[in-house]
Amino acid sequence: IGSEAPDLEDPSALKNAFAVLQDFIDKGIILSGHDRSDGGFITTLLEMAFAGNCGLDLNISAKDASSIEYLFSEEAGLVIECSPKDTEHIISGFTKHGINAQAIGRSSADKNIRIRFNSKDELNEDMRLLRAAWEETSYHLEKLQANPACVEEEKKNIYDRPGQTFKVSFKPEPTPDILLNKDAKPSVAVIREEGSNGDREMVSAFHQAGFDVWDITMSDLLNERVSLDRFRGAAFVGGFSYADVMDSAKGWAGTIKFNSRLVEKFNAFYNRPDTFSLGVCNGCQLMALLGWVPWKNIQDAKQPRFIHNKSGRFESRFSSLRILQSPSVMLRGMEESVLGVWIAHGEGFAHFPDNKILVNLLEKKLAPVRYADDLGNITEAYPFNPNGSPQGIAGLCSPDGRHLAMMPHPERAFLKWQWAWMPENMKRELAASPWLRMFQNARQWCENN
């Protein structure tokens, strides 16, 4: 305020506060926290409420400062949330190390912000209105760089959203050590091209499910350093092959389709009854362009494929995905689950040039994964459906279930800590991430076939 800038007069106090806080985090008694941010103390409080989708009821006392000076101060500090039973323990932990700490109120479910300063109401307002005002500048910037219709739809849909709700219809378990330590494991090729990414995560996911995993480049296949004949599975990873210059995965598809020997090898792998394949993101786009999903021998002009998002931009979000009944071998036993998963793509809109094919594949249950809203319902609404795909379609599988192509990234959520958010009960109760089951299913199928 005025000409006096915030500073740090006692670095040891900051060090001590950090050390005490880390100890409380290790003990699991900190529910949330935020350092004092640009905009000061009140901005910190409001940002926590906006992110937590909740209200605040606060009563703050300060003898030698006005409300403006105190609430908008940007001096070093932090706000933490804890259970009422831990409040005194946390305050004493800070104060005995010379750190000033006080209880200022509570969070609430009623989505109203009430802040009293020295017993006088300074703010009493609906959190959703304040959050909308806070996001207004971003909203106007978004209209300049994305499809304005999608931006308007998002503004409406996130005004009072309840937050993601997940459902796990099975019991996730880590892969037993006896399977991880076997000498003879089914082999899977994790295939990448110039510009690919996510291959390390994909290798890790299959490894943690009990596979013998090989890192394979397209040049390995082109130069016959390795053959698909030796593999039970093939995984095409995400990324931006050839920088998406010719649209997503077209360059990658061309290296296969315009090489007669390679086409023959890929078709032989596809047709072998003991093989499976997974394509994620760029790999999903590739499998569609190769005609591996939903079924072979569809005319090129009618072949379903994935094109530019309805929003007109790259989307990176932690979305909800609903898993439906289907023939997919990798999704067996996961039906009716609603799970959080990362999406990161610019061209994920499921395009069907021939609507009859869409109707046919829906009847055959070949669209096994769908984008879902906060209540777990299949949706076309933005941003829950990040690309506008009809019927919320996020992937396709073949009629025999051996080949699965999906835009979201299960390999980026096969460990619990990879999830952007997970309810506390899921953190406590689940022994493994639900997405690990996909890769375990593939290994189980290989052993049974």
Side-chain angles (χ1 to χ4, degrees):
I1 302 299
S3 60
E4 190 173 337
D7 58 10
L8 183 64
E9 296 173 351
D10 184 2
S12 64
L14 178 64
K15 178 182 176 181
N16 290 340
F18 180 82
V20 172
L21 182 63
Q22 296 310 303
D23 180 55
F24 289 148
I25 290 173
D26 289 342
K27 292 175 179 176
I29 59 176
I30 302 297
L31 302 180
S32 66
H34 193 342
D35 61 299
R36 179 147 34 191
S37 57
D38 290 347
F41 182 35
I42 192 167
T43 304
T44 303
L45 294 166
L46 292 174
E47 286 179 346
M48 292 180 74
F50 297 159
N53 202 32
C54 65
L56 297 174
D57 187 6
L58 309 178
N59 194 352
I60 302 166
S61 298
K63 295 179 180 179
D64 302 320
S66 70
S67 59
I68 293 293
E69 290 172 325
Y70 196 88
L71 294 177
F72 289 92
S73 169
E74 294 179 346
E75 293 282 354
L78 70 150
V79 177
I80 56 176
E81 183 186 20
C82 64
S83 172
K85 65 181 176 60
D86 296 317
T87 304
E88 289 187 14
H89 174 61
I90 288 174
I91 290 176
S92 66
F94 280 111
T95 53
K96 74 181 181 182
H97 285 86
I99 309 301
N100 178 46
Q102 60 176 293
I104 58 172
R106 63 182 181 85
S107 56
S108 62
D110 64 6
K111 297 188 179 180
N112 188 73
I113 305 282
R114 187 182 183 191
I115 299 177
R116 291 182 296 280
F117 184 81
N118 289 338
S119 301
K120 177 186 175 184
D121 267 2
E122 293 289 348
L123 184 66
N124 195 346
E125 187 62 86
D126 190 315
M127 181 276 292
R128 293 162 295 190
L129 290 173
L130 294 171
R131 183 167 60 188
W134 182 72
E135 293 177 338
E136 187 72 9
T137 302
S138 297
Y139 157 71
H140 285 287
L141 288 172
E142 293 285 79
K143 288 174 70 175
L144 299 175
Q145 57 189 358
N147 182 342
C150 289
V151 177
E152 293 286 357
E153 187 176 5
E154 179 171 25
K155 182 180 182 180
K156 180 187 71 173
N157 288 335
I158 69 172
Y159 176 77
D160 190 24
R161 57 182 296 189
Q164 289 172 293
T165 304
F166 302 135
K167 175 185 176 184
V168 184
S169 63
F170 57 97
K171 186 178 180 181
E173 296 284 358
T175 306
D177 287 343
I178 191 171
L179 295 176
L180 295 175
N181 296 327
K182 285 176 65 174
D183 292 328
K185 301 177 183 177
S187 294
V188 60
V190 173
I191 303 174
R192 56 190 172 93
E193 178 57 293
E194 185 278 324
S196 294
N197 63 37
D199 45 292
R200 300 292 179 177
E201 294 95 327
M202 189 72 79
V203 166
S204 296
F206 276 107
H207 175 75
Q208 288 295 322
F211 277 92
D212 176 28
V213 192
W214 288 58
D215 174 33
I216 303 296
T217 65
M218 285 300 300
S219 60
D220 291 330
L221 297 172
L222 286 163
N223 295 320
E224 301 187 65
R225 289 190 289 264
V226 69
S227 170
L228 290 175
D229 296 342
R230 62 162 295 142
F231 296 106
R232 297 292 306 279
F236 305 100
V237 300
F240 307 92
S241 55
Y242 296 99
D244 287 351
V245 168
M246 296 168 282
D247 288 338
S248 294
K250 282 191 175 179
W252 193 353
T255 63
I256 299 170
K257 296 179 77 170
F258 299 135
N259 184 305
S260 57
R261 180 184 56 79
L262 217 50
V263 166
E264 184 178 330
K265 288 290 186 181
F266 272 80
N267 284 338
F269 178 88
Y270 181 92
N271 292 320
R272 271 171 46 201
D274 67 336
T275 62
F276 74 92
S277 67
L278 170 67
V280 167
C281 194
N282 207 210
C284 170
Q285 296 155 344
L286 172 69
M287 288 180 67
L289 292 173
L290 294 178
W292 282 27
V293 289
W295 52 78
K296 289 286 253 178
N297 301 318
I298 297 175
Q299 295 177 10
D300 284 346
K302 297 182 178 181
Q303 171 65 39
R305 52 191 179 272
F306 295 87
I307 63 174
H308 287 277
N309 297 339
K310 186 178 177 182
S311 65
R313 66 173 175 189
F314 178 83
E315 297 280 348
S316 179
R317 299 177 183 269
F318 191 68
S319 299
S320 293
L321 212 63
R322 189 176 191 93
I323 301 173
L324 303 184
Q325 196 81 32
S326 77
S328 173
V329 299
M330 293 192 75
L331 297 173
R332 283 181 181 169
M334 300 174 67
E335 297 85 354
E336 295 311 314
S337 292
V338 180
L339 307 176
V341 70
W342 290 104
I343 61 98
H345 56 253
E347 299 177 42
F349 181 93
H351 174 56
F352 299 91
D354 185 345
N355 193 62
K356 293 179 182 177
I357 292 177
L358 172 60
V359 172
N360 194 358
L361 72 87
L362 289 175
E363 290 175 349
K364 293 179 178 179
K365 301 181 179 179
L366 302 184
V369 284
R370 312 285 187 91
Y371 297 110
D373 61 21
D374 282 343
L375 301 180
N377 300 316
I378 294 169
T379 185
E380 295 182 6
Y382 185 82
F384 312 112
N385 180 328
N387 49 55
S389 292
Q391 307 286 326
I393 292 173
L396 302 170
C397 72
S398 60
D400 62 5
R402 294 189 296 117
H403 305 285
L404 173 65
M406 57 190 294
M407 289 305 302
H409 287 269
E411 81 286 3
R412 294 180 184 174
F414 84 96
L415 298 168
K416 286 166 62 177
W417 62 260
Q418 292 175 304
W419 288 47
W421 178 77
M422 182 180 283
E424 291 300 318
N425 65 312
M426 285 179 63
K427 288 182 185 178
R428 291 191 303 269
E429 297 167 8
L430 299 187
S433 167
W435 287 114
L436 180 60
R437 176 64 67 89
M438 260 187 67
F439 304 93
Q440 293 170 331
N441 280 342
R443 190 250 314 144
Q444 182 82 51
W445 181 85
C446 288
E447 293 175 348
N448 293 340
N449 293 271

